[in-house]
Amino acid sequence: MHRPRSIRPLSCLRPHGFSSFIHRDFHLAPPFLLDDYTPRYQLLSSIDASKKRSSSYAHLRNCNLCPRLCGVNRYERTGACLIGAETVTVNVIAPHFGEEPCVQGHSGSGSVFFSGCNLRCVFCQNHDIAHQKKGFNLTPEDLGEWYMKLQTLGNVHNINLITPEHVVPQVVLSILHARDLGLNIPIIYNTSAFNSLKSIELLDGLKDTTSKRLLKVDRYTEAAMESIKAMHAQVGDLCFTPDGIAKKGLLVRHLVMPGYETEGEEIMRSVAENVSRDVFVNIMEQYRPDAHVGKPKRPRRAARLKSGDKSETSELVRYPEINRPVSEREISAVRQSAEKAGLWRFCDPPRHDGFAL
């Protein structure tokens, strides 16, 4: 019987003193398994680090960090995100256990929830901090020292920067400062993907893992796909160390929206065809009506509705089309479309005691 080509004996066990031997097949580690890992920011030369510091200050003087391209000098005034240049506003810094198993592990992900956002999604699940400046102000140096506290006191697996698109220069400065203090765990750039390519370029060499929430907003799809492709070119597909913790690569999150499963299917096909069929995907089902969704319409508009104005919808609440939870059918449709497109690495619950690789 011929042995399948995909299975090759890598080692034979020859008990000492025996003329015969027992052989055992060993498989090469998959390309997504790392024996060891050094964070990318540790590999930056002092010259490259200096260049990134200079670029960070330049971006703040003529802000082009997202597709809005406000162009404001953030040392003098703010743009759409409402955040200036000297500090960032942070709502929470703490070990977090609400992420994917490969991200949070057993000690938690060192999450930094930034206040403010360059988007204004009507259904935002974190609207209480994203739509307003709410929290405490930190300089980049303060922020880097918090990373060290998360590493040394929290023993977290990574530093997880949540919604940092509008503070990329300060984030860059904070990572470089923390590196000088001894930071040695991966950096996750946990983004909505509404970035400019300039900000992705500024982050090159600093982040290790990138996580995206794909949203349906004006000009979002084009900007998001450009960002995803650029980030994949920088960090590749998601890879793990043997303990099941993600160390480098791309993780795409897609929040399934009620009534928008067709768009979700198109996104899955686009990721498979334009990025990689080996992208690690989390198809998220936790959408719920929030922020402005389901709120009563303004009195004047509601009065027109009651008077029979046919130019308006018959609903008396805002955004009625997404004012419900997502259904199992919609989630299943997106998942099936992803599999049909050739995607196969999903964030599913493990069928054993351990992590899903």
Side-chain angles (χ1 to χ4, degrees):
M1 178 182 292
H2 294 290
R3 187 180 307 278
R5 287 188 177 183
S6 60
I7 304 176
R8 310 178 87 179
L10 301 182
S11 176
C12 293
L13 304 178
R14 291 179 179 267
H16 181 71
F18 286 84
S19 59
S20 62
F21 66 88
I22 301 172
H23 77 266
R24 180 180 177 186
D25 291 340
F26 290 87
H27 296 272
L28 289 170
F32 313 114
L33 185 62
L34 303 170
D35 290 331
D36 196 9
Y37 182 66
T38 300
R40 299 179 77 215
Y41 58 83
Q42 293 283 359
L43 305 177
L44 279 180
S45 68
S46 58
I47 294 175
D48 288 336
S50 179
K51 288 180 179 178
K52 286 194 177 293
R53 287 189 177 95
S54 297
S55 295
S56 297
Y57 296 124
H59 281 291
L60 290 169
R61 292 188 181 94
N62 182 16
C63 189
N64 59 356
L65 299 175
C66 79
R68 291 183 183 273
L69 300 177
C70 293
V72 301
N73 183 343
R74 288 171 59 171
Y75 288 94
E76 298 175 351
R77 63 189 183 92
T78 62
C81 67
L82 305 178
I83 304 297
E86 304 289 349
T87 62
V88 297
T89 303
V90 175
N91 190 263
V92 174
I93 299 180
H96 185 48
F97 293 88
E99 304 286 10
E100 290 83 358
C102 62
V103 172
Q104 70 181 33
H106 51 80
S107 297
S109 178
S111 297
V112 182
F113 289 83
F114 291 100
S115 183
C117 184
N118 59 356
L119 295 171
R120 288 294 183 271
C121 303
V122 298
F123 56 86
C124 180
Q125 313 291 282
N126 293 322
H127 64 96
D128 54 332
I129 65 174
H131 289 188
Q132 51 189 314
K133 191 174 178 180
K134 191 174 181 181
F136 52 99
N137 295 328
L138 296 175
T139 65
E141 292 74 23
D142 293 335
L143 192 56
E145 289 163 16
W146 270 102
Y147 300 162
M148 292 303 300
K149 292 177 183 178
L150 287 169
Q151 175 179 278
T152 57
L153 300 179
N155 196 32
V156 296
H157 298 287
N158 45 64
I159 301 299
N160 188 354
L161 307 171
I162 299 174
T163 326
E165 302 81 9
H166 55 303
V167 291
V168 168
Q170 296 97 319
V171 161
V172 167
L173 296 172
S174 69
I175 294 172
L176 294 175
H177 179 64
R179 183 182 78 153
D180 294 341
L181 297 177
L183 189 71
N184 58 18
I185 55 178
I187 302 290
I188 296 178
Y189 186 66
N190 193 338
T191 170
S192 68
F194 197 57
N195 304 277
S196 72
L197 294 183
K198 290 293 185 181
S199 69
I200 301 303
E201 179 183 346
L202 181 59
L203 284 161
D204 191 16
L206 295 176
K207 65 186 185 303
D208 303 280
T209 305
T210 304
S211 176
K212 262 129 339 272
R213 292 182 174 88
L214 303 183
L215 310 175
K216 194 70 178 177
V217 295
D218 288 343
R219 297 189 299 136
Y220 179 81
T221 302
E222 180 180 358
M225 288 308 302
E226 286 182 353
S227 295
I228 291 171
K229 286 191 285 187
M231 290 180 178
H232 184 264
Q234 290 180 9
V235 298
D237 294 309
L238 197 66
C239 296
F240 308 81
T241 43
D243 57 2
I245 304 299
K247 297 293 185 179
K248 67 177 288 286
L250 177 73
L251 189 159
V252 173
R253 291 172 174 168
H254 173 64
L255 181 65
V256 181
M257 300 284 294
Y260 286 94
E261 67 271 23
T262 300
E263 284 78 0
E265 294 167 8
E266 292 175 358
I267 288 170
M268 293 297 103
R269 284 193 292 271
S270 182
V271 168
E273 294 171 4
N274 299 314
V275 184
S276 169
R277 286 181 170 80
D278 294 327
V279 167
F280 195 94
V281 178
N282 183 3
I283 297 176
M284 305 170 74
E285 57 188 64
Q286 57 261 55
Y287 172 83
R288 66 185 187 280
D290 210 334
H292 302 297
V293 177
K295 286 184 178 179
K297 286 191 173 177
R298 295 181 179 87
R300 185 178 301 174
R301 181 172 295 179
R304 287 202 303 269
L305 295 174
K306 289 180 180 179
S307 66
D309 187 341
K310 300 300 183 183
S311 65
E312 297 280 0
T313 175
S314 60
E315 297 286 348
L316 296 178
V317 297
R318 302 177 70 183
Y319 309 103
E321 69 277 12
I322 56 174
N323 188 29
R324 63 172 176 83
V326 68
S327 70
E328 289 292 336
R329 179 193 61 78
E330 292 164 328
I331 296 165
S332 178
V334 175
R335 173 60 180 260
Q336 291 175 15
S337 177
E339 292 175 349
K340 186 177 180 180
L343 297 172
W344 62 280
R345 303 180 71 202
F346 298 99
C347 185
D348 292 332
R351 300 177 182 178
H352 52 77
D353 293 333
F355 298 112
L357 299 182

